[in-house]
Amino acid sequence: MTSFLIRLYGLCVVQELMVIYPFYAVMFVDYGLSAMEISWLFTVWAGITLLLEVPSGVLADKYSRRFILSVAQLFSVAGFACWGLFPGFWGFFFGFVLWGTKSALSSGTFEALIYDELKRFGCEAQFVKVNGRSLAFNTTGVILSSFAAAALVDYGYQVLIGASVAVSVVASFMALLLPPAPPTQSTTPRPYFTVLGEGVRYAWRSPVILRLIAFASLAIALGGGLDEFYTIFANEAGLPRYALGIFLGSIYAVQAAAGFVAHRFEGLSLRWLYAAFLGGGALLTISAWWMGQWSVLLLGASGLVFQVIALIVEGRLQHMIPSEIRATVSSVRGFSAESFGIGLFIGMGLIVGEGSYRPGFLTFGVLGLVIGLCYLLFGRKE
């Protein structure tokens, strides 16, 4: 299993070495896009992922997961190339269509590959630990790319985009080094709609599964959705341009550390997770109310809380899902998270308009407080 983990964690680092990542939101602003146009771009990204999330999970339950992960990286190559060749709203638009396809192909597929490979070794109980560390190594890649981007940004966005294209090509080859589908999967081909129906019915008929999917999706939306606007927040809060990459790298460094230890909190009851969600909303609200240079630390802390919640709940979901429909049901969770994310992106654009992003962050902070309080008062405690 050591060989598998080395290959897995290596891919996690490399696929996130996209030096354009810390600056692409600011790049959109520099190219003259309005807040609503930027929100529409993120909405397109989430929408494409939403449309393809479940179908891609079905494909991952039917065909080679490592091959699908490899092809997914090539969609990133095409997306970044689109940004570099056509730097404007429509170039960014089609780039996000391609990147959204990559996201859909990767999410449920990646988690299913990890769980079933661990299951082959009889180590599936370690899923939260391995998945958390995979996220930590993903984050390590973001950290490295953030600090590299801080040094390279003076050379222009085209250099950052070109480097990101090269990294995605390398990641595509590295994905092919992952193990093939484990022998626990059926070797008898099953029709696409048979797999799709089994996965969706399994999720729909289980109230516990549905509740966990909804809770995880809310945490992912408020953590992973809002982080697309982090550099804009930091820019408005007064951080100098060179410090944006360092800021994002520092935020993700803390999140990487959290990914390594998230499994230690796996035994927390739902009541504690609800309280943590409430705390994440409070941190987000305070950071937006303050909106100063030091408030970016509270912003990062709120994202950290939501990330750990999502990791723990995802682990509970995986323990409940049969291997033959694992990627499909995981993609249903992804579908739900992207649905909430689309609402967040559109809401941010409508709230911000042509003004500051502060009211948008403040609104979603209060929303996190309300949701956390409702879960704490009325949610199931099992």
Side-chain angles (χ1 to χ4, degrees):
M1 192 172 77
T2 300
S3 175
F4 163 64
L5 293 178
I6 291 173
R7 286 175 283 169
L8 177 73
Y9 295 152
L11 174 62
C12 288
V13 172
V14 171
Q15 71 179 356
E16 297 298 336
L17 291 175
M18 301 177 295
V19 290
I20 189 58
Y21 183 78
F23 286 99
Y24 67 78
V26 177
M27 177 179 71
F28 298 154
V29 174
D30 286 346
Y31 275 105
L33 273 63
S34 68
M36 196 67 232
E37 286 176 320
I38 294 173
S39 290
W40 277 122
L41 289 177
F42 290 145
T43 300
V44 167
W45 184 17
I48 291 297
T49 306
L50 178 72
L51 290 174
L52 299 179
E53 186 74 56
V54 176
S56 68
V58 177
L59 291 176
D61 281 331
K62 188 172 170 57
Y63 301 108
S64 168
R65 290 172 181 168
R66 67 177 177 183
F67 177 74
I68 290 173
L69 290 174
S70 178
V71 170
Q73 299 296 335
L74 298 180
F75 279 95
S76 287
V77 171
F80 291 137
C82 206
W83 285 7
L85 294 172
F86 310 102
F89 177 80
W90 289 109
F92 299 143
F93 178 95
F94 288 110
F96 267 129
V97 169
L98 293 165
W99 198 357
T101 303
K102 181 261 183 182
S103 299
L105 288 172
S106 301
S107 59
T109 305
F110 189 78
E111 293 159 0
L113 184 145
I114 292 175
Y115 193 93
D116 280 337
E117 189 64 17
L118 290 175
K119 188 174 182 179
R120 185 163 75 91
F121 289 100
C123 300
E124 62 268 32
Q126 297 184 34
F127 174 80
V128 171
K129 179 179 180 180
V130 174
N131 193 40
R133 290 186 174 178
S134 296
L135 182 59
F137 279 107
N138 275 331
T139 307
T140 301
V142 176
I143 295 166
L144 295 174
S145 67
S146 297
F147 288 119
L152 293 173
V153 69
D154 288 339
Y155 294 97
Y157 293 127
Q158 296 298 321
V159 171
L160 300 181
I161 292 171
S164 301
V165 167
V167 165
S168 296
V169 171
V170 174
S172 178
F173 284 104
M174 291 185 68
L176 294 175
L177 300 178
L178 294 173
T184 53
Q185 289 184 300
S186 173
T187 57
T188 303
R190 294 183 296 156
Y192 171 91
F193 287 104
T194 298
V195 181
L196 175 62
E198 289 175 1
V200 173
R201 281 195 300 271
Y202 186 86
W204 184 255
R205 292 175 178 175
S206 172
V208 175
I209 292 284
L210 286 178
R211 285 196 295 271
L212 290 177
I213 285 175
F215 189 50
S217 298
L218 287 166
I220 291 169
L222 286 176
L226 278 181
D227 71 1
E228 304 303 332
F229 300 98
Y230 276 10
T231 50
I232 297 178
F233 181 100
N235 195 39
E236 283 195 8
L239 289 187
R241 183 62 56 94
Y242 72 86
L244 295 182
I246 298 173
F247 152 68
L248 201 62
S250 301
I251 292 298
Y252 282 117
V254 176
Q255 292 191 6
F260 274 100
V261 300
H263 66 282
R264 299 183 182 277
F265 302 96
E266 191 174 1
L268 288 178
S269 67
L270 280 178
R271 187 172 184 83
W272 278 107
L273 294 178
Y274 297 156
F277 196 104
L278 178 66
L283 289 170
L284 182 56
T285 302
I286 296 169
S287 68
W289 184 266
W290 187 3
M291 195 65 173
Q293 291 190 5
W294 291 102
S295 67
V296 298
L297 299 178
L298 297 180
L299 179 67
S302 70
L304 168 65
V305 170
F306 290 127
Q307 173 190 297
V308 172
I309 291 171
L311 279 171
I312 294 172
V313 177
E314 176 63 32
R316 296 185 184 183
L317 275 170
Q318 292 294 335
H319 289 313
M320 299 178 182
I321 306 171
S323 293
E324 62 271 14
I325 55 172
R326 184 174 312 285
T328 303
V329 178
S330 296
S331 292
V332 171
R333 192 271 303 149
F335 182 96
S336 174
E338 295 298 338
S339 298
F340 288 126
I342 288 174
L344 184 147
F345 294 143
I346 294 175
M348 181 67 81
L350 292 174
I351 294 166
V352 171
E354 299 298 324
S356 167
Y357 277 78
R358 180 173 178 264
F361 276 93
L362 187 59
T363 298
F364 287 108
V366 172
L367 183 62
L369 275 171
V370 172
I371 292 173
L373 184 61
C374 288
Y375 265 115
L376 198 57
L377 293 177
F378 308 113
R380 296 289 293 270
K381 306 301 189 295
E382 73 271 359

